[in-house]
């Protein structure tokens, strides 16, 4: 059960409780009814907004706990409008004045498809739609801490409460993230009809060296020379204590609850307060809560004279009331001033000083049937019994209330325990199912069971790389790995948060993506799931290749078909040299005896495409990537995942997995050997031999260390060909870069590294605190900001790879910027106000390649970037 469900229960329970307790009163502690966003009493037409992202995220979807219907699960403002600096808001018109004590917010969950929420927001309100006020808490803080996730409802007390008809929720954002909101308002109708009062500014009392501030600190009217048309402390439902130096509200200053004046500033001996109402009413009484601390020079008013106005003029005959003086009790109290059923829309009352000081903390009016604002504020008072009936606390009701509250707390605690228990179980189940998946895979790949005896011949003697010898090899590994050498720690380079692991959750955030997502899902279904039931949302994660090729989740077509690669007997591998080191462990060059027999008929294809394994008859040279012995479970899973992915890919420009050794540890994958290593290192060793020239001349291998522009473009063309193949499978690589391409004979380029990282290139990755390490300099803005990885974000990375190739990898992309500045720049791409910095045109790059290809890969809108099909054709045409 979700927490918001709990909230709902609590409110329904409270409602029941309150109807049992008795009359509805404006008491902030009980006036907490949901006003109808979730319940539907507030009509769609009364919910408006400054902007909306799309029709499906229109204001009417901004209802708390409302997660169905034809919308996308919340109100979301238009980000472009927000980026312009215009404050975005969701507005609720309550149709009449309400006393609001609580607000609730929720993000966009949409059954797991949404992930947007407002972490912080402000509230603005108005009683007449003309004068708008920004709400602040009692300490003057305007920002409310909102949601931490898209599904939980977070309720915030409004202290001070708001009296308003119109309320605006304004998400506070840095404009780089999309926020969506669902809201609810809680409170009750404001039957007083009081729209505003104006009173002279309160004074500052010095009591025994203590500053006592008696101003109206939460007054929301326009303060010119004299405050007007506002409400504040006198209507906030909080009454002052007997001792005005103290307050029931925590952390405020002495005198906080009271507005007070000294008679020294009022030569006529009275303070005049004007009260304005929503319309003409017949008034029964006015109740004024006053301090009577005569030992400190504070007393009840001596006389109240109230004038009435229904039209333009004030009527001449006031109601005059003289409360009995109390020289015994110093308790604060309500004094009821009878108003003689006079009709008025404004009342002007003169309160005459009974002593040096007069302090009042609350004023309430009873008119017609509206007699509720005499609510109880639950702090004790010394008022004399019978003096003010509104001050009596009904003990039996209080006991019932306390009993019920205790029961509610007990029920809530039980529910929370159940929720937590359920979550723990879910996690355990998830872990168990993942383990089963791995075991299943291992079982399928393990065609033969052979003891591991990995032959090494570094000193022409055969050494078994058992666990201990393998780790010592790591320590003497090649340079550049830095802290990676010998470390048994494994870092998952790609994001760990659920969103990043499963970008399909996020994919519908932007309409442009929703569209392309639908297209891709449709095409993947056509391609691979002709009859199967589609499993819902679009997929872009690298793991999805498996579900695409294996059929819908649950269908175990892996078991039905032959294994994608075979188990290779370890004892037929002879170590030649160490090629490099990756995140999983070392990569070795080996001779594989009898490998030919293991390869299926399309193996011959590899021979014609420059892979190092294409030696005739004898043992094949292969690259063997080994999972280090002490690898943890995550590393092992990812290693197996890379095997699964690679085993199903067949393309001349994708590095080929030939066989595996997974029946015993250490796990190994055997790939074709690419004799020139990775493209980044390879380009580093080269120099550009000629100016930007076109045509096929000079293609093939560079001569010595000199490479021509045409040769560079031929490399790029091959990368594009490999990516075209991947994108045709709806497969997203996520980490395309020169460091992840391998170079074989005759300058054949193949895309590799489906494990997503390389320790040698640690500097290319950026660590997001505690979450993930990302190749931010290659990533599209939407991948960084929204966690979206799509074919279009691979195209972005292709643009950066093209740039690397044409600069011969002499510098890192955005080399002059720090990681933080790169991320800031990403925000500029998002805002699209022309402030974003693009990678500069490499010297060897013709203008048209820069503008027609490179810059197009970095278009803000993903659907305006070229696809790999188009890129490939473009490069092919240019090469011709
Ligand atoms: P990881 O993905 O775990 O970071 P890599 O697969 O990138 O590790 O391998 C690390 C290094 O090993 C590469 O930089 C490259 O120099 C070398 N290497 C990897 N695979 C091959 C191969 N098939 N042929 C030649 N060298 C390779």
């Amino acid at each position: 059960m979700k927490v918001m469900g709990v909230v709902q229960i609590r409110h329904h329970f409270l409602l029941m409780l309150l109807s049992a307790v008795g009359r509805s009163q404006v008491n902030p502690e009980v006036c907490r009814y949901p006003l109808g966003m979730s319940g539907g009493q507030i009509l769609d037409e009364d919910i408006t907004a400054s902007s909306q992202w799309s029709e499906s995220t229109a204001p009417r979807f901004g209802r708390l706990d409302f997660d169905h219907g034809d919308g996308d699960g919340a109100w979301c403002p238009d980000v472009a409008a927000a980026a312009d600096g215009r404050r975005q808001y969701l507005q609720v018109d309550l149709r009449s004045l309400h006393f609001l004590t609580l607000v609730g917010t929720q993000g966009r969950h949409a059954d797991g498809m949404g992930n947007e929420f407002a972490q912080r927001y402000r509230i603005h309100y108005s009683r007449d739609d003309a004068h708008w006020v920004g709400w602040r808490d009692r300490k003057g803080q305007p920002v409310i801490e909102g949601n931490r996730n898209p599904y939980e409802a977070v309720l915030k007390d409004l202290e001070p409460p708001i009296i308003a008809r119109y309320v605006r929720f304004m998400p506070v954002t840095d404009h780089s993230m999309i926020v969506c909101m669902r809201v609810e308002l809680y409170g009750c109708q404001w039957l007083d009809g009081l729209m505003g009062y104006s009173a002279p500014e309160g004074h500052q009392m010095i009591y025994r060296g203590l500053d006592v501030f008696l101003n109206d600190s939460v007054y929301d009217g326009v303060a010119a020379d004299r405050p007007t048309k506002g409400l504040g402390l006198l209507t906030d439902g909080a009454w002052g204590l007997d001792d005005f130096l103290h307050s029931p509200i925590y952390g405020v200053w002495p005198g906080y609850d009271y507005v007070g004046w000294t008679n020294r500033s009022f030569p006529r001996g009275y303070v005049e307060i004007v009260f304005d109402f929503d319309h003409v009413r017949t008034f029964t009484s006015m109740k004024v809560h006053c301090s009577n601390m005569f030992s400190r020079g504070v007393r009840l008013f001596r006389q109240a004279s109230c004038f009435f106005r229904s039209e333009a003029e004030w009527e001449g005959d006031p109601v005059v009331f003289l409360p009995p003086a109390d020289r015994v009790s110093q308790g604060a109290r309500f004094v009821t001033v009878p108003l003689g059923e006079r009709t008025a829309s404004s009342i002007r009352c003169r309160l005459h000083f009974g002593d040096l000081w007069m302090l009042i903390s609350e004023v309430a009016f009873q008119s017609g049937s509206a007699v509720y604002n005499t609510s109880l504020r639950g702090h004790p008072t010394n008022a004399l019994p019978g003096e003010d009936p509104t001050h009596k606390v009904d003990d039996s009701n209080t006991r019932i209330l306390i009993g019920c509250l205790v029961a509610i707390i007990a029920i809530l605690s039980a529910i929370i325990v159940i929720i937590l228990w359920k979550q723990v179980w879910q996690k355990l189940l998830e872990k168990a199912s993942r383990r089963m998946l791995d075991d299943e895979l291992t079982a399928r790949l393990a065609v033969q069971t052979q003891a591991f005896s990995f032959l090494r011949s570094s000193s022409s003697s055969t050494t078994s790389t058992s666990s201990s010898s393998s780790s010592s090899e790591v320590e003497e590994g090649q340079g550049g790995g830095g802290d990676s050498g010998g470390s048994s720690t494994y870092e998952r380079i790609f994001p760990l948060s659920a969103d990043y692991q499963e970008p399909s959750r996020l994919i519908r955030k932007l309409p442009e993506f929703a569209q392309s997502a639908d297209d891709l899902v449709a095409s993947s279904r056509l391609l691979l799931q002709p009859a199967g039931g589609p499993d819902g949302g679009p997929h872009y994660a690298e793991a999805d290749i498996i579900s695409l090729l294996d059929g819908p989740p649950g269908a175990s077509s892996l078991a039905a078909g032959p294994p994608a690669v075979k188990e290779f007997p370890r004892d037929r591998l002879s170590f030649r040299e160490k090629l490099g080191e990756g995140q999983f462990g070392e990569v070795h060059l080996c001779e594989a005896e009898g490998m030919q027999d293991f390869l299926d008929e399309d193996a011959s294809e590899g021979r014609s495409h420059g892979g190092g394994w294409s030696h005739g008859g004898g043992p094949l040279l292969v690259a063997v990537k080994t999972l280090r012995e002490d690898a943890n479970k995550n590393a092992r899973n990812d290693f197996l995942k890379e095997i699964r992915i690679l085993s199903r890919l067949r393309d001349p420009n994708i590095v080929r997995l030939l066989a595996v050794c997974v029946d015993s540890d250490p796990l190994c994958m055997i790939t074709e050997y690419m004799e020139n290593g990775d493209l980044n290192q390879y380009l580093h060793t080269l120099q550009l031999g000629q100016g930007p020239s076109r045509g096929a001349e000079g293609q093939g291998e560079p001569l010595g260390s000199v490479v021509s522009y045409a040769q560079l473009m031929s490399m790029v063309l091959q990368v594009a060909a490999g990516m075209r193949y991947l994108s045709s499978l709806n497969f997203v690589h996520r980490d395309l870069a020169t460091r992840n391409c391998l170079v074989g004979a005759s300058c054949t380029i193949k895309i590799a590294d489906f494990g997503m990282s390389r320790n040698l290139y640690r500097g290319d990755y950026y660590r997001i605190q505690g979450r993930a390490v990302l190749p931010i300099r290659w990533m599209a803005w939407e991948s960084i900001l929204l966690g979206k990885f799509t074919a279009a974000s691979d195209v972005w990375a292709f643009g950066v790879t093209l740039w690397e190739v044409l600069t011969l990898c002499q510098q890192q992309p955005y080399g002059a910027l720090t990681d933080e500045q790169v991320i800031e720049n990403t925000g500029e791409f998002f805002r699209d106000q022309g402030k974003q910095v693009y990678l500069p045109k490499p010297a060897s790059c013709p203008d048209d390649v820069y503008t027609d290809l490179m810059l197009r890969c970095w278009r803000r809108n993903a659907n305006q970037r070229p696809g790999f099909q188009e890129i490939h054709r473009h490069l092919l045409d240019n090469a011709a």
Side-chain angles (χ1 to χ4, degrees):
M1 184 193 280
K2 290 182 205 152
V3 175
M4 59 195 185
V6 176
V7 171
Q8 192 91 16
I9 289 172
R10 202 183 81 181
H11 280 284
H12 288 159
F13 211 100
L14 261 179
L15 257 168
M16 282 160 46
L17 197 76
L18 294 174
S19 47
V21 167
R23 59 181 190 260
S24 70
Q25 299 170 313
V26 174
N27 173 342
E29 281 161 16
V30 293
C31 169
R32 295 160 83 89
Y33 308 101
L35 295 180
M37 285 297 277
S38 39
Q41 295 87 341
I42 296 172
L43 303 177
D44 282 351
E45 68 210 55
D46 292 327
I47 311 169
T48 52
S50 53
S51 71
Q52 64 193 46
W53 179 265
S54 62
E55 196 42 45
S56 59
T57 57
R60 66 177 187 281
F61 299 113
R63 297 171 180 273
L64 192 112
D65 272 357
F66 189 84
D67 206 358
H68 44 88
D70 51 348
D72 268 347
W75 163 74
C76 315
D78 179 2
V79 205
D84 285 352
R86 280 178 278 147
R87 281 231 184 112
Q88 298 303 304
Y89 60 80
L90 175 68
Q91 177 174 318
V92 182
D93 176 359
L94 294 166
R95 291 290 176 120
S96 63
L97 289 180
H98 278 72
F99 189 86
L100 304 170
T101 51
L102 195 67
V103 283
T105 58
Q106 228 173 354
R108 187 175 86 86
H109 185 49
D111 286 332
M113 296 295 290
N115 192 36
E116 304 84 354
F117 51 90
Q119 291 188 2
R120 304 163 81 222
Y121 63 96
R122 291 169 189 260
I123 284 189
H124 282 205
Y125 63 91
S126 173
R127 289 184 275 275
D128 55 7
D129 200 18
H131 171 56
W132 283 87
V133 182
W135 179 86
R136 288 170 182 272
D137 70 12
R138 294 195 186 273
K139 310 242 168 68
Q141 173 56 247
V143 176
I144 302 175
E145 289 299 321
N147 298 90
R148 290 267 157 261
N149 58 48
Y151 46 89
E152 251 169 313
V154 172
L155 301 181
K156 292 283 167 174
D157 277 300
L158 291 174
E159 276 286 349
I162 288 173
I163 296 164
R165 170 176 164 176
Y166 305 89
V167 180
R168 287 177 179 171
F169 289 81
M170 306 176 128
V172 176
T173 70
D174 62 357
H175 306 313
S176 64
M177 295 299 282
I178 298 170
V179 292
C180 299
M181 293 184 93
R182 287 178 284 165
V183 304
E184 180 60 285
L185 292 159
Y186 302 83
C188 51
Q189 241 193 326
W190 173 243
L191 297 177
D192 265 42
L194 186 58
M195 295 281 278
Y197 60 79
S198 45
E201 190 80 49
H203 294 152
Q204 183 181 340
M205 175 197 283
I206 312 275
Y207 178 73
R208 295 192 178 159
L210 189 71
D211 284 327
V212 184
F213 298 96
L214 298 167
N215 59 322
D216 195 340
S217 58
V218 299
Y219 188 74
D220 64 9
V222 182
D225 52 334
R226 176 188 166 101
T228 174
K229 290 258 185 227
L231 296 172
L233 282 180
L234 300 187
T235 50
D236 69 350
W239 307 340
L241 296 178
D242 294 344
D243 181 350
F244 58 85
L245 296 180
H246 298 117
S247 168
I249 300 161
Y250 176 75
V252 291
W253 51 89
Y256 177 86
D257 299 295
Y258 286 92
V259 183
W261 307 268
T262 165
N263 67 7
R264 291 201 193 102
S265 310
F266 297 91
R268 290 185 185 168
Y270 61 79
V271 169
E272 188 172 82
I273 308 177
V274 180
F275 301 93
D276 292 307
F277 297 84
D278 49 358
H279 53 79
V280 175
R281 290 167 174 255
T282 304
F283 289 93
T284 311
S285 59
M286 169 177 80
K287 296 190 173 191
V288 186
H289 189 259
C290 316
S291 166
N292 197 38
M293 273 246 126
F294 47 77
S295 60
R296 295 180 191 159
V298 179
R299 252 181 227 280
L300 307 178
F301 53 90
R302 176 171 57 78
Q303 176 188 325
S305 320
C306 294
F307 296 80
F308 299 85
R309 184 176 69 183
S310 303
E311 290 158 6
E313 295 295 313
W314 289 102
E315 292 164 20
D317 53 331
V319 167
V320 177
F321 174 72
L322 301 169
D326 183 352
R327 298 175 202 290
V328 182
S329 166
Q330 298 214 64
R333 73 207 57 197
F334 268 101
V335 176
T336 303
V337 179
L339 294 179
E341 304 300 319
R342 297 280 292 266
T343 54
S345 59
S346 295
I347 300 177
R348 191 176 72 196
C349 287
R350 293 174 178 167
L351 302 178
H352 293 255
F353 285 90
D355 208 329
L356 180 60
W357 286 90
M358 179 164 62
L359 271 57
I360 63 177
S361 75
E362 198 75 6
V363 179
F365 288 87
Q366 289 71 52
S367 61
S369 59
V371 291
Y372 70 117
N373 195 24
T374 54
S375 55
L376 302 171
R377 179 80 183 183
H379 60 80
T381 171
N382 294 337
L384 291 176
E387 186 177 5
D388 187 334
T390 64
H391 238 203
K392 276 193 201 155
V393 176
D394 182 338
D395 268 358
S396 61
N397 280 345
T398 309
R399 265 186 234 125
I400 293 171
L401 192 72
I402 291 170
C404 290
L405 285 175
V406 169
I408 292 167
I409 290 167
I411 292 168
L412 283 178
S413 316
I415 291 170
I416 288 167
V417 168
I418 292 169
I419 292 169
L420 290 176
W421 182 246
K422 229 177 124 182
Q423 279 177 351
V424 168
W425 264 105
Q426 248 166 7
K427 275 200 186 124
L428 285 176
L429 283 175
E430 267 170 30
K431 268 192 192 158
S433 62
R434 240 182 276 137
R435 205 175 309 130
M436 277 162 64
L437 201 75
D438 285 348
D439 294 347
E440 191 188 22
L441 173 77
T442 312
R444 283 180 187 150
L445 290 173
V447 178
Q448 299 174 29
T449 312
Q450 301 265 343
F452 177 63
S453 59
F454 183 28
L455 300 177
R456 314 190 81 171
S457 58
S458 53
S459 57
S460 75
S461 67
T462 308
T463 318
S464 164
T465 48
S466 64
S467 58
S468 57
S469 64
S470 126
S471 61
S472 65
E473 281 298 323
V474 173
E475 267 150 27
E476 69 198 34
Q478 71 181 36
D483 53 349
S484 65
S487 156
S488 66
T489 55
Y490 164 74
E491 276 184 321
R492 233 195 107 91
I493 294 300
F494 261 71
L496 300 176
S497 80
D499 292 342
Y500 281 94
Q501 282 180 20
E502 214 189 302
S504 55
R505 283 195 194 175
L506 295 149
I507 210 68
R508 288 180 195 276
K509 268 183 186 170
L510 305 172
E512 63 190 281
F513 282 100
Q515 185 52 46
S516 57
D518 289 342
D519 293 349
L520 286 166
V521 171
S523 64
S524 71
R525 280 180 194 147
L526 279 178
L527 191 69
L528 297 154
Q529 299 184 348
D535 62 320
H539 295 285
Y540 291 95
E542 81 281 2
D544 295 327
I545 189 81
I546 291 156
S547 61
L548 288 175
L549 292 167
D550 288 354
S556 39
S557 52
L558 240 180
V565 283
K566 295 180 188 167
E567 177 79 11
F568 190 77
R570 290 169 193 271
D571 56 3
R572 290 206 229 150
L573 289 172
S574 330
F575 175 84
R576 280 285 201 81
E577 64 182 75
K578 180 172 161 181
L579 290 173
E581 191 169 325
Q583 62 165 331
F584 295 117
E586 295 183 346
V587 183
H588 297 148
L589 174 63
C590 293
E591 272 178 11
E593 191 65 51
M595 177 59 87
Q596 314 287 13
D597 311 336
F598 273 79
L599 304 175
D600 50 25
E601 53 289 352
D602 71 344
S604 55
E605 186 194 309
R607 293 203 167 88
S608 56
H609 283 97
W613 51 283
S614 58
H615 286 228
L620 272 187
L621 280 179
V622 292
V624 179
K625 193 163 168 177
T626 314
L627 179 66
R628 64 170 61 98
E629 287 273 303
D630 53 356
N632 64 21
K633 190 79 189 162
N634 284 344
R636 197 182 164 84
N637 285 345
D638 282 1
F639 193 82
L640 289 169
K641 189 169 80 180
E642 189 170 358
I643 288 180
R644 289 214 287 185
I645 293 168
L646 265 181
S647 73
R648 287 163 172 80
L649 300 176
R650 287 279 192 288
D651 186 80
N653 296 108
I654 303 290
V655 75
R656 169 83 186 270
L657 182 70
L658 303 175
V660 289
C661 306
V662 291
D663 64 332
S664 59
D665 283 341
L667 305 182
C668 295
M669 61 173 99
I670 304 170
T671 60
E672 55 183 312
Y673 169 52
M674 302 293 284
E675 61 194 46
N676 285 310
D678 73 65
L679 182 58
N680 188 285
Q681 281 178 324
Y682 181 66
L683 289 173
H684 246 292
T685 62
L686 300 178
Q687 284 170 0
L688 196 68
Q690 44 190 270
S693 62
R694 301 276 162 118
E697 100 292 343
Q699 286 185 14
E701 253 178 303
L703 220 58
S705 64
V706 177
V707 67
S708 71
Y709 170 79
Q711 284 164 335
L712 291 179
M713 290 311 275
S714 131
M715 297 177 197
V716 171
L717 176 67
Q718 295 181 68
V719 176
M723 291 308 295
R724 185 187 57 164
Y725 167 73
L726 292 182
S727 68
S728 75
L729 292 177
N730 195 19
F731 176 81
V732 182
H733 187 285
R734 295 185 181 210
D735 198 10
L736 179 61
T738 54
R739 64 180 172 274
N740 291 330
C741 298
L742 294 172
V743 187
S746 311
C747 226
T748 310
I749 310 291
K750 302 199 180 205
I751 298 166
D753 216 334
F754 294 78
M756 312 274 177
S757 103
R758 179 101 36 97
N759 287 340
L760 187 58
Y761 296 97
R762 187 174 289 268
D764 289 343
Y765 296 86
Y766 173 74
R767 176 175 292 284
I768 291 180
Q769 225 176 12
R771 276 209 304 169
V773 188
L774 299 171
I776 51 169
R777 290 161 198 272
W778 282 259
M779 281 167 71
W781 69 267
E782 72 274 8
S783 304
I784 295 177
L785 297 183
L786 306 175
K788 285 183 198 309
F789 292 87
T790 61
S793 61
D794 271 357
V795 165
W796 183 295
F798 174 82
V800 182
T801 308
L802 169 61
W803 183 89
E804 284 187 280
V805 172
L806 293 181
T807 53
L808 293 174
C809 297
Q810 292 304 313
Q811 37 175 310
Q812 226 194 6
Y814 309 104
L817 304 187
T818 62
D819 284 343
E820 284 67 27
Q821 285 169 328
V822 171
I823 290 178
E824 270 169 36
N825 193 36
T826 303
E828 294 302 343
F829 270 105
F830 167 72
R831 283 188 278 278
D832 204 20
Q833 293 169 333
K835 292 186 195 155
Q836 63 272 44
V837 178
Y838 291 88
L839 288 170
K841 185 173 84 62
S844 66
C845 181
D847 287 346
D848 57 337
V849 172
Y850 186 61
T851 48
D852 294 349
L853 189 56
M854 222 182 267
L855 288 180
R856 282 181 66 213
C857 294
W858 304 324
R859 290 239 172 110
R860 183 193 183 276
N861 286 347
N863 52 11
Q864 286 175 4
R865 294 174 206 152
F868 280 113
Q869 183 81 31
E870 185 189 338
I871 292 175
H872 184 254
R873 202 180 323 110
H874 182 102
L875 289 168
L876 210 56
D877 292 348
N878 268 27

